[in-house]
């Protein structure tokens, strides 16, 4: 079988098909199918998946949530602690 995640050392996106996923911990979880919930701002990802021949199926529902953070936390994450006000 191929490495989970396709090419690029077993952790990236390749055009070799799905064998599972590689978790952030490095653990490999084998699977025949993977559900990818990338969201609305993933046009380049979807284009790449189509280029590789992936089967994409829209769903008739959407699930979302909102998390609010203090502006200082957002500024620190975006600009770094030294530039956050």
């Amino acid at each position: 079988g191929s490495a989970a995640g396709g090419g690029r050392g077993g952790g990236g996106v390749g055009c070799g098909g799905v064998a599972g996923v590689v978790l952030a911990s490095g653990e490999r979880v084998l699977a025949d199918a993977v559900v990818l919930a990338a969201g609305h701002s993933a046009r380049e990802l979807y284009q790449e998946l189509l280029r590789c021949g992936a089967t994409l199926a829209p769903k008739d529902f959407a699930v979302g949530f909102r998390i609010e953070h203090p502006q200082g936390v957002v500024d620190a994450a975006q600009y770094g602690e030294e530039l956050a006000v």
Side-chain angles (χ1 to χ4, degrees):
S2 63
R8 297 189 198 165
V13 175
C15 290
V18 172
V21 296
V22 179
L23 305 180
S25 67
E27 178 185 357
R28 293 173 183 261
V29 179
L30 300 180
D32 294 329
V34 174
V35 175
L36 177 65
H40 297 290
S41 300
R43 177 169 283 156
E44 290 178 2
L45 173 63
Y46 294 127
Q47 289 172 342
E48 181 67 12
L49 290 169
L50 288 171
R51 186 187 71 76
C52 288
T55 301
L56 304 181
K59 300 297 175 196
D60 58 355
F61 63 90
V63 177
F65 62 93
R66 178 184 179 117
I67 299 175
E68 295 190 20
H69 299 288
Q71 187 64 49
V73 172
V74 175
D75 291 344
Q78 187 168 4
Y79 305 117
E81 290 288 337
E82 63 279 357
L83 296 177
V85 177

